Amino acid sequence: MSPWGRKKRMQDKNKKVSAKETGHPPNTEWPVLETDVSDLKPRLNWFKKQFSNCSDIIFREFTLPSGQSCALIYFNGMIDQNSLQHFILQDLLTVASETEDIYKTLFERKSLSVSNYTITVDLNECLTHILSSCASLIIDGDRRMINFEVASYATRSIEETPNESIIRGSRESFIEDLPTNLTILRRHLKTPALKTESIVVGRKTQTPVVISYIEGVCKPELIAELKRRLSYIQIDGIVNSYYIEEFIKDNPYSPFPQVEYTERPDTLIASLQEGRVAILLNGTPVCLLAPVTLTMLMQAPDDYSMWFIAASWIRITRYIFLLISLLLPSLYIAITTFHPQMIPYPLLITIASSREIVPFPVIYEAFIMEIAFEALREASIRIPKSIGQAVSIIGALIIGTAAVQAGIISAAMVIIVSLTGIASFIMPHYDLGIAIRILRFPVMILASMFGLYGIACGLIFLYIHLVNLKSFGVPYLSPFTPLVKDDLVDTVIRLPWTMMRTRSPLTSNNRHRVARNARGWVRPKGENE
Amino acid sequence: MRKITALQVFTLYSLSMYTTFTAFLINPLASNSKYSSLLASLIGPILAWILIYPALKVTKAKPDQFIIVYGHELVGKWLHIICMLMIVIVNLVLGATTLRQMSDFLLTEYLIGTPSWAVLLLFSLTVAYAVYSGISTIFRASQGIFLLSALAYLLIPIFASSEVNAAMIPAFFTHLDMKHFGDGLYLNLAMFGEIAFLFLLRPYLKTPDKSYRSLLGAVLFAVFINLTHLFLVLTSFGPEVTSNMSYPDLELIAFIQTGSFLQTGDPILIILWLTSLFVKICFTLFMSAIGLAQLVKVMDHRPFALPVTAFTTMLSIILVRTQVELNELVSGKLPGLLIVCEIVIPIIYWIGLFIRNLTHKHKEQRT
């Protein structure tokens, strides 16, 4: 049975529902060879038919000293030629010249030096192995085929991630190669409880997806739920982790991220220890973590590598700037348009005088500036690095100053938009920043129509949405609502590890993670040194 | 099913009671009860908590079922339908009244000239979303905003304490009047009696008995906030001036000078009142929606969420024509209707339960 019963379920489903009804034709890309054959020729022809017009496939036909015709099939550049030459071909020729029954020697006594191989009689399975960087050996006269796992291809070296930089802590990051990422994980978590269950997703890409968790720490129902959701994914290809994320998240229409992502092994390991589940994919350094809450998205790896009071202060700042990022332009619009009595008189004069020559209402002014800022931000990602900084400076300083001097925009609005822009960069999670950036605009419109009342209604709507939102059954606003007292120690503030002794009951049944006497070496007061 | 914790009950009712009181009840209390309003606001809520005991007792008969579903076994089919329809209608009227009070406040103080339908439409959309989402969303929403709201309400008296006219304090003892006290008690009883409706949703409560105790906590907490605000308003303006103010608590906050950063903080009250009133309106509309759904034997409240919200919004527009009519409704007819639904109807069911138990015992003895 295939992992997590998907195959059986799909077979059952296919029996009931025709391809026409589902809109998805059954997988007919790899036609099965009509008869089970042990001859080399028909099998080789079948493979050649499958790999027709593939310039990188190699069919290496040769005859053993014992007289059997053989063929090795593999993709050029995907396997280690040295291993193929020395440990497969050379051994094979030696073994064949020394033994009478080559089949028994190969398939039963397993006399080759290469130990990492699988034997199959299914041509489709063999095809999958070839596509997954194996070299497949077919011998005339026997149905069995050997798939040697001698993969070797160029991968990026392990470097520091540019997207999740850290002051103090590990510089290691994941790369695009899944086995390397699993090795990194295994190297740091030396426990047999670390489980890595694999599934293949993507009809054409055949992307290996690994679910990783710590057995006994992670809730079994969470693992089962994740497997259930993954088993439903039917798509041609998985190119990056967001493909998976979109399929498994609870509310696909919510702007808020419901799965966390990271490129950092230390973040992943810490999350696994909290009882969360990780999803690793081949071809991307970005791993997914579930479940996630809003407070988790406001945490940065640095929070745990500095003094807890400093970390708490930075976190509080982050929350303040989250509100600034969402509300500052709206508050400015609402107060200047509907509630100017709130502004102290000297400040009101300053704002009014700066707006005197501006021909637009505040809302237009705010929209022009916000959209210009969004354009600058988007451009800075696309522009080549060598000129990106210059363009940013030109955009921010020269255009901004010119717009103020020309009387199109007020100086106060430039300050508001700049501060909002900076605030949106403070968010540790990029997707959360995007959500806030998008939501800022409807709140601005409400503020321009109804003042503070509009903002309040917008916030209430947003709040109800967040209260409703769940990530794998975990409420998005926990531990605030519903209240989880034990988890409050690591939210807006972070207390020292001696006070964060337990894991969240929402993600783990195994609560204890720090011993009660972890600082037991401290002498009681009054005791002599 | 059992999702609502005792803490969530505490937060929702605290928010609902102290906001309604400080926003809309200080004015009628000051004009009806004068200096006796302080005592009435202390005794009334506690009396309300005691008098809703039959509601708890009645719903104990079948703790896993809604009384709307099995209530006909206690009082007969037609009386049950009449009683439940009354509760549904009272909740609709209560929601519409609160909605109207809120929109009047916004339209007279901050959004002058804005069409009332636009103000109501925006708010009703958020209410409909919450009501549709269900009871646990409403309770969890209240839990999330409680801390900030309560903190703000507790801080306001500290900032406004400089306005107190200490010479008025003896009047709270020397000017006690039984008629005034009775008027204040009537208003408080009706408003705080709303806690009785909670037991219509008994199957949703995680710990119903604990919830009754947490209702007492909510009542006491709300009483503390209400009394501090009422005391400050009465000692700052006196009962006569207060009765002529539409929103005395707002005027009190307008006195607070927050320094050079903000000239006045009273527009912030919009957010404070709105969030708490939102929770209250959502709860009353949810009660109406689920009540209607169960009366027509539909177990899901969601098909009724939008119609009920739309109806309440319309009702809030046509219910009264002027502020004077609204005040008359709030301090005259509505409290009487509320008291019937909150206290009298549970007592009728309690008697029904008592008679049923008695006849049941007799039957058992005979057999």
Side-chain angles (χ1 to χ4, degrees):
Chain A
M1 198 156 149
S2 71
W4 316 323
R6 185 181 72 179
K7 201 169 181 178
K8 191 179 179 302
R9 202 167 53 239
M10 288 313 295
Q11 279 169 355
D12 294 346
K13 201 179 168 187
N14 284 342
K15 274 179 200 167
K16 290 173 192 164
V17 188
S18 70
K20 204 177 176 183
E21 283 171 315
T22 56
H24 295 286
N27 195 349
T28 52
E29 287 168 41
W30 302 344
V32 182
L33 194 60
E34 289 300 318
T35 49
D36 286 338
V37 286
S38 56
D39 291 349
L40 175 67
K41 208 74 182 166
R43 283 186 288 175
L44 205 56
N45 286 340
W46 185 84
F47 278 114
K48 280 180 178 170
K49 196 179 164 190
Q50 302 310 315
F51 292 123
S52 62
N53 298 331
C54 298
S55 60
D56 50 346
I57 191 80
I58 290 173
F59 295 96
R60 193 163 168 179
E61 292 174 61
F62 56 95
T63 308
L64 292 175
S66 48
Q68 286 90 356
S69 297
C70 299
L72 263 168
I73 311 170
Y74 56 88
F75 276 101
N76 191 19
M78 280 173 77
I79 60 152
D80 183 10
Q81 285 288 347
N82 200 30
S83 300
L84 185 78
Q85 203 65 40
H86 290 103
F87 305 115
I88 299 173
L89 279 174
Q90 225 170 57
D91 269 23
L92 203 59
L93 296 172
T94 315
V95 168
S97 60
E98 287 170 1
T99 181
E100 283 177 8
D101 190 348
I102 181 72
Y103 306 117
K104 203 169 181 178
T105 311
L106 281 179
F107 298 119
E108 287 161 33
R109 288 190 206 135
K110 298 179 179 174
S111 310
L112 289 178
S113 324
V114 178
S115 58
N116 204 3
Y117 63 83
T118 52
I119 297 169
T120 177
V121 291
D122 185 352
L123 287 172
N124 276 320
E125 203 181 320
C126 189
L127 193 79
T128 312
H129 278 109
I130 296 167
L131 289 165
S132 310
S133 318
C134 284
S136 292
L137 175 70
I138 310 171
I139 305 171
D140 193 32
D142 200 292
R143 286 174 60 224
R144 290 170 287 186
M145 295 164 281
I146 308 175
N147 305 297
F148 296 102
E149 290 176 21
V150 282
S152 174
Y153 40 81
T155 54
R156 187 165 62 90
S157 61
I158 297 170
E159 292 162 356
E160 189 174 357
T161 167
N163 301 325
E164 294 175 74
S165 47
I166 189 168
I167 306 291
R168 182 176 155 180
S170 164
R171 297 286 183 270
E172 201 173 32
S173 78
F174 287 125
I175 60 165
E176 286 75 8
D177 185 44
L178 181 62
T180 311
N181 293 345
L182 289 175
T183 312
I184 295 172
L185 205 58
R186 191 64 74 181
R187 225 161 15 91
H188 288 287
L189 271 170
K190 298 181 186 75
T191 164
L194 173 68
K195 304 296 175 194
T196 50
E197 292 186 47
S198 182
I199 183 179
V200 174
V201 182
R203 284 189 290 255
K204 285 195 167 66
T205 54
Q206 295 285 308
T207 312
V209 175
V210 166
I211 290 184
S212 182
Y213 57 89
I214 300 178
E215 198 176 45
V217 172
C218 182
K219 277 188 173 178
E221 52 268 34
L222 174 63
I223 304 160
E225 178 59 20
L226 181 60
K227 285 177 182 176
R228 196 179 71 83
R229 291 186 190 188
L230 281 174
S231 73
Y232 276 95
I233 300 176
Q234 290 288 306
I235 188 172
D236 277 352
I238 297 289
V239 177
N240 62 53
S241 59
Y242 189 74
Y243 282 58
I244 297 274
E245 186 181 333
E246 200 161 292
F247 281 110
I248 61 170
K249 64 182 176 182
D250 291 62
N251 183 350
Y253 302 106
S254 172
F256 290 94
Q258 292 147 65
V259 176
E260 192 183 348
Y261 69 80
T262 184
E263 288 181 50
R264 299 186 59 83
D266 54 352
T267 305
L268 192 95
I269 289 158
S271 301
L272 291 178
Q273 289 180 80
E274 283 173 14
R276 294 163 76 192
V277 190
I279 304 167
L280 297 97
L281 276 84
N282 199 37
T284 172
V286 179
C287 305
L288 302 175
L289 287 163
V292 72
T293 62
L294 188 65
T295 52
M296 285 175 187
L297 294 172
M298 293 298 285
Q299 293 166 356
D302 258 337
D303 294 352
Y304 301 93
S305 53
M306 64 170 83
W307 183 42
F308 68 94
I309 291 177
S312 300
W313 166 243
I314 290 167
R315 270 196 196 170
I316 292 167
T317 318
R318 227 176 268 150
Y319 277 92
I320 292 168
F321 276 88
L322 172 86
L323 291 176
I324 285 176
S325 174
L326 179 67
L327 295 177
L328 191 63
S330 313
L331 284 174
Y332 179 73
I333 293 165
I335 291 171
T336 51
T337 315
F338 288 87
H339 318 283
Q341 75 272 24
M342 285 179 78
I343 310 170
Y345 193 62
L347 183 61
L348 188 65
I349 297 282
T350 312
I351 293 171
S353 61
S354 78
R355 291 216 69 253
E356 204 176 21
I357 52 165
V358 178
F360 307 115
V362 193
I363 178 70
Y364 290 175
E365 206 187 341
F367 255 87
I368 292 167
M369 280 305 285
E370 282 292 344
I371 289 170
F373 196 88
E374 289 293 318
L376 269 174
R377 188 184 345 225
E378 196 57 25
S380 66
I381 299 168
R382 312 272 170 252
I383 294 170
K385 271 182 187 169
S386 51
I387 57 165
Q389 205 171 1
V391 169
S392 302
I393 292 165
I394 291 165
L397 292 180
I398 301 173
I399 297 175
T401 315
V404 172
Q405 281 174 355
I408 298 166
I409 304 294
S410 67
M413 185 53 81
V414 174
I415 296 166
I416 296 282
V417 173
S418 314
L419 200 60
T420 312
I422 293 165
S424 66
F425 287 119
I426 290 175
M427 248 73 77
H429 200 282
Y430 184 70
D431 284 358
L432 181 65
I434 290 178
I436 299 295
R437 270 159 57 189
I438 292 167
L439 291 168
R440 191 187 300 148
F441 290 95
V443 180
M444 274 162 61
I445 294 169
L446 286 174
S448 72
M449 288 166 77
F450 298 100
L452 282 178
Y453 170 68
I455 296 177
C457 283
L459 284 182
I460 291 172
F461 198 89
L462 201 62
Y463 176 61
I464 293 297
H465 172 69
L466 287 172
V467 168
N468 272 334
L469 200 61
K470 282 183 177 177
S471 169
F472 287 85
V474 174
Y476 206 64
L477 286 186
S478 63
F480 298 117
T481 176
L483 189 70
V484 185
K485 282 181 213 156
D486 290 354
D487 289 4
L488 290 174
V489 293
D490 192 16
T491 50
V492 182
I493 53 160
R494 179 182 89 75
L495 295 185
W497 276 108
T498 44
M499 295 173 88
M500 297 197 297
R501 290 207 312 271
T502 53
R503 292 187 186 91
S504 171
L506 298 169
T507 53
S508 181
N509 292 329
N510 179 354
R511 302 287 313 281
H512 294 283
R513 63 176 167 191
V514 179
R516 194 174 282 275
N517 62 346
R519 278 180 61 85
W521 54 269
V522 178
R523 290 172 199 274
K525 274 181 186 172
E527 196 176 299
N528 289 335
E529 290 287 320
Chain B
M1 191 70 136
R2 297 192 174 275
K3 295 170 186 169
I4 302 164
T5 62
L7 182 66
Q8 286 171 344
V9 169
F10 170 82
T11 56
L12 185 133
Y13 277 103
S14 298
L15 277 176
S16 158
M17 287 184 293
Y18 68 66
T19 311
T20 316
F21 186 95
T22 53
F24 308 125
L25 210 72
I26 291 180
N27 174 284
L29 264 177
S31 59
N32 292 351
S33 303
K34 317 283 182 207
Y35 286 105
S36 307
S37 55
L38 215 61
L39 188 65
S41 303
L42 176 69
I43 307 287
I46 296 166
L47 194 65
W49 179 77
I50 295 165
L51 289 176
I52 62 128
Y53 183 71
L56 169 78
K57 204 71 188 160
V58 164
T59 51
K60 246 183 183 175
K62 286 186 179 177
D64 293 327
Q65 281 184 37
F66 292 96
I67 191 158
I68 307 174
V69 176
Y70 72 86
H72 60 91
E73 294 170 17
L74 307 179
V75 292
K77 189 182 172 187
W78 292 110
L79 184 60
H80 173 63
I81 290 174
I82 291 166
C83 288
M84 289 302 134
L85 268 177
M86 258 185 88
I87 289 176
V88 167
I89 291 165
V90 156
N91 271 292
L92 284 173
V93 174
L94 191 63
T97 313
T98 317
L99 211 54
R100 178 61 181 263
Q101 284 173 319
M102 189 211 72
S103 69
D104 277 359
F105 159 67
L106 289 165
L107 293 168
T108 53
E109 298 289 327
Y110 299 108
L111 300 171
I112 301 154
T114 311
S116 62
W117 63 263
V119 172
L120 284 167
L121 182 72
L122 182 64
F123 193 70
S124 300
L125 281 174
T126 54
V127 170
Y129 181 35
V131 174
Y132 184 85
S133 302
I135 191 72
S136 58
T137 300
I138 297 167
F139 272 91
R140 271 166 45 193
S142 72
Q143 193 178 25
I145 56 178
F146 175 75
L147 195 66
L148 288 175
S149 172
L151 205 66
Y153 270 93
L154 288 170
L155 285 176
I156 289 168
I158 296 169
F159 286 119
S161 57
S162 58
E163 304 298 324
V164 170
N165 182 359
M168 282 194 191
I169 296 172
F172 290 111
F173 304 98
T174 55
H175 285 58
L176 279 176
D177 179 279
M178 272 317 280
K179 190 193 169 294
H180 290 167
F181 174 74
D183 288 345
L185 200 68
Y186 173 68
L187 285 176
N188 272 290
L189 206 61
M191 200 203 86
F192 280 84
E194 285 168 30
I195 53 178
F197 295 140
L198 178 73
F199 293 101
L200 291 173
L201 306 174
R202 190 180 175 116
Y204 285 128
L205 301 178
K206 237 178 194 170
T207 47
D209 289 326
K210 211 174 162 187
S211 294
Y212 185 62
R213 286 199 296 274
S214 70
L215 278 178
L216 177 65
V219 165
L220 293 177
F221 185 72
V223 163
F224 175 71
I225 290 184
N226 295 349
L227 289 182
T228 50
H229 282 247
L230 186 65
F231 173 78
L232 276 169
V233 167
L234 288 176
T235 50
S236 303
F237 308 123
E240 291 308 320
V241 178
T242 306
S243 60
N244 286 311
M245 289 173 168
S246 296
Y247 308 103
D249 213 39
L250 177 77
E251 303 296 338
L252 185 75
I253 292 163
F255 272 98
I256 300 171
Q257 293 285 323
T258 45
S260 53
F261 186 64
L262 281 179
Q263 191 70 28
T264 169
D266 63 293
I268 295 171
L269 206 67
I270 297 175
I271 298 172
L272 216 58
W273 280 5
L274 211 64
T275 44
S276 310
L277 289 175
F278 168 79
V279 170
K280 182 186 172 173
I281 294 169
C282 286
F283 183 72
T284 53
L285 296 199
F286 178 82
M287 284 298 308
S288 304
I290 200 162
L292 278 174
Q294 290 177 351
L295 277 176
V296 295
K297 309 255 187 291
V298 176
M299 282 301 116
D300 190 6
H301 76 281
R302 279 180 292 186
F304 292 85
L306 196 61
V308 160
T309 314
F311 177 77
T312 312
T313 311
M314 304 280 259
L315 190 65
S316 74
I317 297 170
I318 58 166
L319 190 67
V320 286
R321 281 169 295 180
T322 58
Q323 181 97 38
V324 180
E325 279 184 16
L326 183 67
N327 288 345
E328 208 172 287
L329 178 74
V330 169
S331 55
K333 293 162 198 159
L334 188 63
L337 201 61
L338 277 170
I339 288 172
V340 168
C341 291
E342 294 159 356
I343 297 161
V344 179
I345 289 178
I347 290 174
I348 294 170
Y349 278 79
W350 200 21
I351 294 166
L353 179 72
F354 180 73
I355 294 167
R356 198 187 74 148
N357 286 347
L358 217 64
T359 48
H360 198 70
K361 252 183 198 174
H362 273 294
K363 270 184 190 171
E364 270 185 0
Q365 278 174 355
R366 271 188 215 166
T367 51

